Amino acid sequence: MRPNHGTTPRILPHLLATLLLAAVGVVALDAAPEARAATQAPPIPLDRVIPAPASVTPGGTPYRITRATRVRVDGSAEARRVGAYLAGILRRSTGYPLPLTGHGKGGIRLRLDKGDFGAEGYRLDSGAGGVTLTARTPAGLFHGVQTLRQLLPPAVEKKTAQRGPWRIAGGTVQDRPRYAYRGAMLDVSRHFFTVAQVKRYIDQLALYKVNALHLHLSDDQGWRIAVDSWPRLATYGGANEVGGGRGGHYTKADYRRIVRYAASRYLEVVPEIDMPGHTNAALSSYAELNCDGVAPPPYTGTKVGFSSLCVPKKITYDFVDDVIRELAALTPGRYLHIGGDEAHSTSHPDYVTFMDRVQPVVARYGKTVIGWHQLTGARPAQGALAQYWGRDRTGAAEKEQVAKAARNGTGLILSPADHIYLDMKYTNDSRIGLTWAGLVEVRRSYDWNPGAYLAGVPDSAVRGVEAPLWTETVRDSADIEYLAFPRLAGAAELGWSPAERLGWDGYRARLAAQGPRWDNLGIRYYRSPQVPWPAR
Ligand code: NGO
């Protein structure tokens, strides 16, 4: 046996050589892309982002992420979580370690600052020395992170290590939303979607700075949320869906998981219990809720307007109180949506009575009412929001009723059905979707201005935009993605970007650039012929 001390000197040169080679290897690996980059396309321009940023000042040297880059976060634990989220995305696709640190110079920096950024705005500064995101809130940093993602090559969205170079164009983006409410609705009643499917959609919404997830939790076909004081709502009323499938419901723990996940992506969950119509699932679960005391059978078709809670009965309000109390307790968000659409089986006086009794219950449990715009035909409570779902050709009287309420202080969320109902077919050939509001191709879904959409509505009344996805024909995530993408991106831009940044020609080019990102994220989108998608 050789003495141990003799081994070291002989091995050292080898070790050194190996280390040197490795170092050279690393340098070579990193230098190659740089050489390529010099002769290749410049980095993605700062304004090729959806939603279009409020203001962009290009210029200066791009920043390049390398193996040595650190993600520096000074600020709260929450800001650090946003930094960790960004590093998590970048580590997978770059293969770089990207450690999270609190100090040092350069690199990718996330900082909180008291400046004038608004509740969700941010600034992105990029130059040879680093990229800095600055915001007043972690939500602002998070939205800035989404912009940063879109400024890196689409390969950044892959789950395994890809070749760079990872460059971000030089300059400054200053950005903040036009509207505070930028929502997407998912109807989990017509078809039920699991927590995992909802989380997947939340991640997709977050890409475009959507900040509200409205869950349509009850309808004729299914009751989807556990209510302890009325357990059959979920166990019996939740056991169906359109077409006769098994349905399902969220336990309170499930629902909390959704709320928590949404919050981690800076979305607020807006739960909806649709009343007094669209209530067959509840009426079939409890006979005593019916005026005649007879429970109707479960319903798995797609008709609307045939069910109503029994407005004169006292038990109706015990039921409403219990449901709203339990749901409000589960909901950290500000809003509780009470539906109110298509109450065709409720007389008008009953409808008004019902809304007069139910809106104060929402307030009592600390929430703000949202209702579909038919609520404006009753007496919207102080501070309530009405969600407009009419069409271009909705009658003048109905539009004026909504506009008048808006002038009297009711805020509006705009969801015009012939523009941003994501469940409308794109063309006659679309494999799923409805057509009652018309065929809605990508251009039609995008080409309208929320600020000028309803005549006679003061600017300040428009609180935002929401893209609803009703699910009569939607069964799984592939179906969700086919209808939501690309139209959802346009709805998000209408909610975020200032009016002067909107415009189909610019949008369509930016939209095309999203295609390869969606491919890398596994989003199965509709390749509309109206959009110049790059070849796959
Ligand atoms: C309408 C109706 C829903 C349907 C949807 C289908 C509203 C607010 N109520 O929108 O029950 O599912 O159309 O597009």
Side-chain angles (χ1 to χ4, degrees):
M1 266 258 279
R2 260 172 235 210
N4 239 350
H5 64 261
T7 321
T8 319
R10 259 202 306 275
I11 280 183
L12 244 185
H14 287 288
L15 253 177
L16 275 175
T18 316
L19 275 174
L20 248 174
L21 270 177
V24 169
V26 167
V27 171
L29 252 177
D30 270 5
E34 200 153 68
R36 266 205 323 276
T39 56
Q40 271 183 3
I44 294 168
L46 291 182
D47 58 1
R48 195 175 295 163
V49 169
I50 295 178
S55 116
V56 167
T57 316
T61 317
Y63 175 66
R64 179 158 165 246
I65 300 174
T66 67
R67 186 169 295 282
T69 299
R70 289 157 180 265
V71 177
R72 293 196 296 123
V73 188
D74 36 28
S76 63
E78 206 185 326
R80 269 199 297 285
R81 274 198 293 280
V82 177
Y85 164 90
L86 171 63
I89 293 166
L90 297 179
R91 279 177 199 140
R92 281 198 299 260
S93 47
T94 63
Y96 300 154
L98 293 157
L100 218 58
T101 67
H103 50 266
K105 275 210 160 57
I108 302 172
R109 183 171 178 208
L110 272 59
R111 51 186 284 268
L112 292 174
D113 182 285
K114 295 220 165 28
D116 179 25
F117 299 100
E120 294 186 284
Y122 65 92
R123 193 180 66 224
L124 180 152
D125 297 292
S126 169
V131 173
T132 302
L133 285 172
T134 315
R136 209 189 73 206
T137 62
L141 290 178
F142 185 81
H143 297 321
V145 161
Q146 303 308 330
T147 296
L148 188 60
R149 276 169 92 165
Q150 290 188 39
L151 294 175
L152 286 162
V156 77
E157 301 302 347
K158 293 221 169 176
K159 298 257 180 311
T160 55
Q162 307 293 312
R163 263 172 179 274
W166 307 103
R167 295 187 306 158
I168 297 150
T172 297
V173 174
Q174 276 177 291
D175 204 7
R176 63 166 67 198
R178 180 181 187 185
Y179 296 114
Y181 188 102
R182 304 177 308 279
M185 187 208 79
L186 183 63
D187 167 11
V188 296
S189 177
R190 270 53 177 273
H191 280 97
F192 181 66
F193 297 88
T194 63
V195 173
Q197 287 169 320
V198 174
K199 282 181 169 179
R200 181 174 167 90
Y201 197 41
I202 289 171
D203 276 328
Q204 295 167 355
L205 299 174
L207 292 169
Y208 298 99
K209 305 183 173 73
V210 170
N211 68 356
L213 173 68
H214 167 185
L215 289 176
H216 185 76
L217 290 170
S218 73
D219 211 303
D220 292 317
Q221 297 86 347
W223 185 284
R224 305 300 180 205
I225 179 73
V227 178
D228 297 337
S229 46
W230 297 74
R232 268 173 67 82
L233 291 171
T235 56
Y236 184 81
N240 285 287
E241 61 185 5
V242 166
R246 290 176 49 219
H249 70 269
Y250 305 120
T251 63
K252 289 192 168 178
D254 289 338
Y255 186 81
R256 286 198 190 92
R257 277 161 62 211
I258 293 174
V259 167
R260 261 201 309 277
Y261 195 77
S264 76
R265 281 13 178 191
Y266 296 92
L267 280 92
E268 174 174 350
V269 173
V270 178
E272 178 186 354
I273 299 296
D274 201 349
M275 306 178 276
H278 290 279
T279 42
N280 188 76
L283 296 168
S284 70
S285 305
Y286 288 96
E288 57 269 42
L289 290 176
N290 296 269
C291 280
D292 62 4
V294 179
Y299 182 69
T300 58
T302 60
K303 291 204 185 83
V304 296
F306 60 87
S307 56
S308 178
L309 291 174
C310 186
V311 173
K313 268 192 169 177
K314 174 181 176 298
I315 194 172
T316 297
Y317 305 96
D318 297 339
F319 163 80
V320 168
D321 197 286
D322 289 337
V323 168
I324 291 181
R325 185 185 65 251
E326 292 195 30
L327 194 53
L330 284 174
T331 301
R334 292 159 287 180
Y335 302 110
L336 209 146
H337 200 306
I338 57 172
D341 58 321
E342 297 176 319
H344 305 321
S345 301
T346 318
S347 71
H348 182 66
D350 272 3
Y351 183 83
V352 175
T353 304
F354 182 81
M355 288 305 179
D356 280 349
R357 289 197 62 170
V358 168
Q359 293 181 92
V361 179
V362 175
R364 186 169 342 123
Y365 293 114
K367 302 297 171 193
T368 296
V369 166
I370 305 182
W372 297 105
H373 77 257
Q374 282 71 22
L375 179 64
T376 61
R379 289 181 278 256
Q382 180 82 21
L385 305 184
Q387 184 168 7
Y388 181 77
W389 61 285
R391 293 180 268 177
D392 291 357
R393 64 166 188 272
T394 291
E398 188 171 341
K399 285 180 174 158
E400 177 48 26
Q401 174 190 294
V402 174
K404 193 170 162 214
R407 290 194 295 275
N408 288 331
T410 299
L412 299 183
I413 296 169
L414 298 179
S415 302
D418 51 348
H419 294 286
I420 55 170
Y421 260 35
L422 298 176
D423 54 312
M424 291 302 124
K425 287 188 168 186
Y426 297 95
T427 71
N428 275 319
D429 295 333
S430 297
R431 64 177 178 82
I432 48 173
L434 304 179
T435 55
W436 69 264
L439 297 171
V440 183
E441 248 292 4
V442 178
R443 178 168 189 166
R444 181 169 180 73
S445 71
Y446 175 79
D447 228 355
W448 60 284
N449 176 0
Y453 185 69
L454 277 178
V457 167
D459 254 10
S460 60
V462 179
R463 302 301 164 74
V465 173
E466 182 174 292
L469 178 50
W470 301 96
T471 59
E472 285 92 335
T473 67
V474 179
R475 293 147 189 269
D476 56 24
S477 289
D479 288 354
I480 292 178
E481 288 156 26
Y482 169 75
L483 289 173
F485 290 88
R487 290 179 293 196
L488 174 84
E493 172 151 312
L494 294 175
W496 179 281
S497 306
E500 62 274 16
R501 299 266 158 219
L502 306 177
W504 170 250
D505 287 335
Y507 175 68
R508 134 184 214 274
R510 285 181 288 117
L511 185 55
Q514 301 297 307
R517 289 172 198 280
W518 294 341
D519 286 330
N520 291 345
L521 286 163
I523 297 177
R524 294 147 284 187
Y525 62 102
Y526 163 59
R527 283 181 63 95
S528 164
Q530 296 184 328
V531 181
W533 309 107
R536 270 178 170 146

